[in-house]
Amino acid sequence: YSGRDFTAGEKVYEYWQENWPFVSDSGDPISIDLVLACPEGKNDLPEGTLFHLDPKEIAAAKDKRDKVLFSGWSMLIEHSCEPNLIVGGKGESDYDNWRSTYATKDIRQGEKLTADYNCILWDRTESQNAAYCTCGSEKCVGAKKGFKYLSRNEQEERKLWGVTHMRDKGVSPQIGDALSSHVREHLRRMGDDVMSSSSSSSSSSSSSDDDSSSDDESSSDA
């Protein structure tokens, strides 16, 4: 939960991520039980809190090479089809272990912090809870299977997340900032370059504005 108020576009927190450290003899990620030690802050969970961490079930991200990553953020963040956080952005290097989260809209103190699992992973069908979603948002898509399984309209909407939420706050995020580098890499392999889409959208918008201006001038001259 949020410890204070945040405005859209503001950095909410930073966290460290690394390769999933718990693997089988064959090198596959395995689940673990984690017990929290003494809390350091007033908002920390109490000592002895137990977490069962399964990389298939939590928001464990993957890098561009599909390697599972581990972080404190992925242990705790809950899913929503209309989240108030996006992770990182194209400005952050995939080789940097420090990542940041940003508010997609104004967040009030005490509000639950959420992210869209469908924007973090390309394919979550190995998860036991992937086939359903109970987030309760008005834009719920009914599942958390991953970006691959969203409809075209749902995918295009998520490319614009952050942009549509933050623009009126004077923040200028780029198209695709709400998608993880893992998802963007899969789109690139399919020939769908988010950056190219961003440029095309901007060009189309400028062209449309120019046409509108020309029409207005012609109408005025008439």
Side-chain angles (χ1 to χ4, degrees):
Y1 291 83
S2 176
R4 66 173 179 85
D5 292 348
F6 293 92
T7 59
E10 188 177 355
K11 181 186 292 186
V12 177
Y13 60 88
E14 295 179 312
Y15 63 93
W16 176 268
Q17 77 176 9
E18 58 186 329
N19 290 334
W20 189 269
F22 317 106
V23 296
S24 64
D25 292 339
S26 60
D28 296 322
I30 59 175
S31 59
I32 63 163
D33 289 326
L34 179 69
V35 180
L36 296 188
C38 298
E40 295 183 0
K42 64 178 182 179
N43 295 320
D44 290 347
L45 294 170
E47 179 181 359
T49 301
L50 176 67
F51 288 97
H52 178 70
L53 302 180
D54 186 334
K56 300 190 204 62
E57 304 302 329
I58 62 177
K62 292 183 178 180
D63 63 16
K64 292 180 179 180
R65 298 166 296 282
D66 292 340
K67 296 293 185 181
V68 177
L69 302 172
F70 173 82
S71 72
W73 177 85
S74 63
M75 293 190 300
L76 300 175
I77 198 71
E78 293 191 27
H79 166 80
S80 173
C81 293
E82 197 170 6
N84 51 23
L85 292 181
I86 61 173
V87 183
K90 292 189 289 296
E92 293 193 1
S93 170
D94 205 36
Y95 301 100
D96 188 352
N97 293 98
W98 281 106
R99 311 297 286 176
S100 304
T101 62
Y102 298 88
T104 61
K105 49 191 171 184
D106 292 345
I107 300 174
R108 299 303 173 211
Q109 183 176 3
E111 186 177 341
K112 181 182 292 186
L113 299 175
T114 58
D116 186 356
Y117 288 10
N118 291 318
C119 289
I120 297 172
L121 291 173
W122 180 253
D123 189 338
R124 292 190 73 250
T125 50
E126 291 184 348
S127 169
Q128 295 181 2
N129 63 21
Y132 62 89
C133 178
T134 57
C135 72
S137 74
E138 293 182 0
K139 295 187 176 182
C140 181
V141 300
K144 306 185 291 291
K145 294 181 179 180
F147 195 84
K148 173 183 178 180
Y149 297 95
L150 296 172
S151 70
R152 185 64 178 176
N153 286 340
E154 290 165 350
Q155 289 183 353
E156 293 301 317
E157 180 181 14
R158 279 155 179 77
K159 289 180 185 178
L160 292 172
W161 275 2
V163 176
T164 53
H165 287 324
M166 299 181 209
R167 184 172 288 155
D168 63 342
K169 299 292 182 179
V171 182
S172 301
Q174 295 179 319
I175 292 175
D177 268 354
L179 307 181
S180 69
S181 59
H182 165 72
V183 170
R184 292 198 300 271
E185 175 62 17
H186 276 273
L187 288 172
R188 187 194 64 78
R189 294 175 193 173
M190 297 175 61
D192 184 354
D193 192 320
V194 178
M195 287 299 291
S196 295
S197 299
S198 174
S199 300
S200 299
S201 298
S202 298
S203 299
S204 298
S205 177
S206 298
S207 176
S208 176
D209 291 342
D210 291 342
D211 291 342
S212 297
S213 297
S214 299
D215 292 340
D216 291 341
E217 291 175 1
S218 298
S219 176
S220 177
D221 290 341

